[in-house]
Amino acid sequence: MTHAAAERYRQIFDRRTPEQLRTLSHLKRFMERLVGDEEFRRALAEAIATPRAVTERYGINVDPMEVLPLWRGGYQQYRFKPESAPWPLAVMWDEYLREMMRHRDLLRDEGEMSTINPRFHAWRERQIRRCNDQLGVSAASLTHPIIAFELSEGCSVGCWFCGLSADRFTGYYDYSKEHAALWRGVVGVASEMFGSAVRTGFCYWATDPMDNPHYDRFLFDYYQITGALPQTTTAAPLKDPALTRHVLGLFNLYRTTTNRFSVLSRAHLNQIHTAFSPEELLGVELILQGKEAQTAKAMVGRARERKEKRRGANKDGAIAFLERNHTTIACVSGFLVNMRQGRLRLVTPVPGSDRWPLGYPHSG
């Protein structure tokens, strides 16, 4: 069983000193504020001579003058170029981003199963080529995991832009003795069928992981069987702080991939930054979804519905988000398993359309 992606990911952290990791965590927080907080951007622009006062006010141990290529207009042209050498902290951040991108490509490669399951492998390869042709800017970020599990029914968060138009939350798959045995059996069979490719799997879809109070126990089982700790993406990291910290604790122990928090507003960003230190969130990518964030939304699901309704009401431009030909948030080219319903579906990303408004073929 190959562990190349996990080993490369751990090296990103292990090869750095504690001080370097601390610096990276504060650079990360600086970038989160820069992308997700219009008030922060305005304060930086106004504090031309003393931008350090702004970061100190936000508890960020970064001098903006030492990372000019990351944020100031005339200097951004130097990013990812030798000319950025006078700003070593900016170089450090961009090298970290490069390493994360290389790890993402390894995750895509880890879905390789030409020997253990050649027919399924051929199907997945066809989907990857098709997506590269059809999905615009969305294609580059897809790793095409071969399996995803839903451990709840519906979602309690209700994001207005939800690309999967998740139904209302109606319950979760309990970690009873019987359910736990079935769960471990299903993951074990998937491991036998797909080999190391099962390490690409994760445990959410049109659900939020934190709606299941036993989510961390399902994760730990997955790690014990496959050797990989699935990525967690949640829009509710503050719903059960103890559960969230258990999940982050598993990351600290096993480190196989980055987790993600969807941040729904500046107020939500403030709450998350108050609850968790920069160091605690180094292994968590914040997906900045607030209306003032400089983040593109995919034109699928509820975002698509909302735009169509506003267009019909002659309110074009009323939705304040960027569009960059982002065509789907679906990523799996493989099986979608709902444990509560005992339902199995084969899915793959497609561009959002009238036929497939959720960005993947589905029924019901």
Side-chain angles (χ1 to χ4, degrees):
M1 179 180 287
T2 177
H3 292 212
E7 290 171 358
R8 176 67 66 86
Y9 186 78
R10 293 185 188 112
Q11 288 172 12
I12 293 173
F13 300 92
D14 292 346
R15 74 177 185 82
R16 291 181 163 90
T17 67
E19 183 58 33
Q20 288 172 327
L21 292 176
R22 182 176 182 278
T23 298
L24 270 179
S25 73
H26 283 261
L27 287 169
K28 177 175 172 289
R29 182 150 294 193
F30 174 80
M31 297 303 293
E32 290 162 357
R33 283 291 175 183
L34 194 66
V35 174
D37 186 344
E38 186 176 26
E39 188 177 279
F40 180 81
R41 294 193 295 269
R42 186 182 305 116
L44 270 184
E46 292 173 355
I48 297 176
T50 57
R52 180 64 183 267
V54 177
T55 52
E56 287 178 349
R57 189 161 71 243
Y58 282 82
I60 301 172
N61 189 21
V62 171
D63 184 348
M65 298 300 290
E66 295 182 5
V67 292
L68 289 174
L70 300 183
W71 67 279
R72 183 166 283 181
Y75 294 82
Q76 289 177 305
Q77 62 182 315
Y78 302 132
R79 284 194 73 178
F80 304 103
K81 297 178 181 178
E83 289 84 355
S84 64
W87 300 277
L89 292 185
V91 174
M92 174 190 287
W93 176 252
D94 285 340
E95 176 55 30
Y96 175 72
L97 291 184
R98 286 193 188 97
E99 289 180 273
M100 286 296 176
M101 298 286 241
R102 287 195 288 269
H103 174 253
R104 182 190 67 189
D105 293 340
L106 282 176
L107 287 175
R108 187 182 301 117
D109 295 342
E110 196 160 54
E112 205 276 345
M113 62 193 106
S114 59
T115 301
I116 192 167
N117 202 318
R119 291 183 64 188
F120 189 84
H121 174 77
W123 177 84
R124 178 177 179 268
E125 288 295 304
R126 288 196 301 272
Q127 304 318 310
I128 292 173
R129 291 192 294 270
R130 177 188 52 76
C131 288
N132 289 340
D133 288 338
Q134 294 181 348
L135 296 187
V137 298
S138 301
S141 63
L142 297 183
T143 59
H144 296 272
I146 62 101
I147 198 165
F149 295 92
E150 292 179 313
L151 300 174
S152 304
E153 194 68 30
C155 177
S156 68
V157 182
C159 299
W160 66 264
F161 52 83
C162 178
L164 301 178
S165 293
D167 294 330
R168 291 178 180 272
F169 174 72
T170 59
Y172 60 86
Y173 188 70
D174 192 25
Y175 194 84
S176 64
K177 183 177 181 180
E178 179 183 358
H179 285 179
L182 178 59
W183 166 248
R184 288 191 290 266
V186 169
V187 176
V189 168
S191 184
E192 292 172 5
M193 290 180 63
F194 305 117
S196 61
V198 77
R199 294 165 59 85
T200 66
F202 58 95
C203 303
Y204 58 90
W205 187 255
T207 58
D208 193 286
M210 298 307 162
D211 282 338
N212 190 315
H214 311 300
Y215 173 68
D216 57 327
R217 300 174 74 176
F218 289 102
L219 280 189
F220 184 64
D221 283 349
Y222 202 98
Y223 175 81
Q224 286 191 312
I225 294 167
T226 70
L229 188 70
Q231 181 190 71
T232 294
T233 295
T234 176
L238 304 177
K239 179 176 182 175
D240 184 343
L243 176 58
T244 300
R245 291 187 184 280
H246 286 162
V247 172
L248 297 183
L250 289 172
F251 169 86
N252 290 335
L253 285 172
Y254 304 119
R255 280 186 180 162
T256 56
T257 192
T258 293
N259 293 314
R260 302 188 298 181
F261 292 172
S262 288
V263 182
L264 309 182
S265 65
R266 189 204 312 165
H268 197 203
L269 179 64
N270 291 341
Q271 292 164 2
I272 291 170
H273 277 181
T274 298
F276 300 99
S277 70
E279 292 84 355
E280 287 178 303
L281 294 185
L282 181 57
V284 180
E285 179 185 3
L286 297 194
I287 310 299
L288 298 154
Q289 303 281 22
K291 292 184 179 180
E292 65 186 54
Q294 297 177 328
T295 306
K297 302 287 192 299
M299 281 296 96
V300 286
R302 290 201 189 108
R304 179 183 177 85
E305 293 170 12
R306 180 165 173 152
K307 183 171 183 179
E308 292 301 321
K309 288 178 181 177
R310 290 184 176 271
R311 178 178 291 133
N314 294 318
K315 293 182 179 180
D316 283 352
I319 301 177
F321 57 79
L322 304 177
E323 294 184 49
R324 295 176 180 148
N325 194 28
H326 190 18
T327 54
T328 184
I329 70 165
C331 60
V332 172
S333 286
F335 292 101
L336 174 58
V337 184
N338 184 288
M339 294 299 296
R340 195 161 184 259
Q341 288 191 354
R343 184 184 64 205
L344 177 68
R345 289 187 285 177
L346 187 66
V347 299
T348 187
V350 296
S353 64
D354 291 340
R355 183 184 183 192
W356 304 122
L358 303 185
Y360 72 100
H362 61 96
S363 59

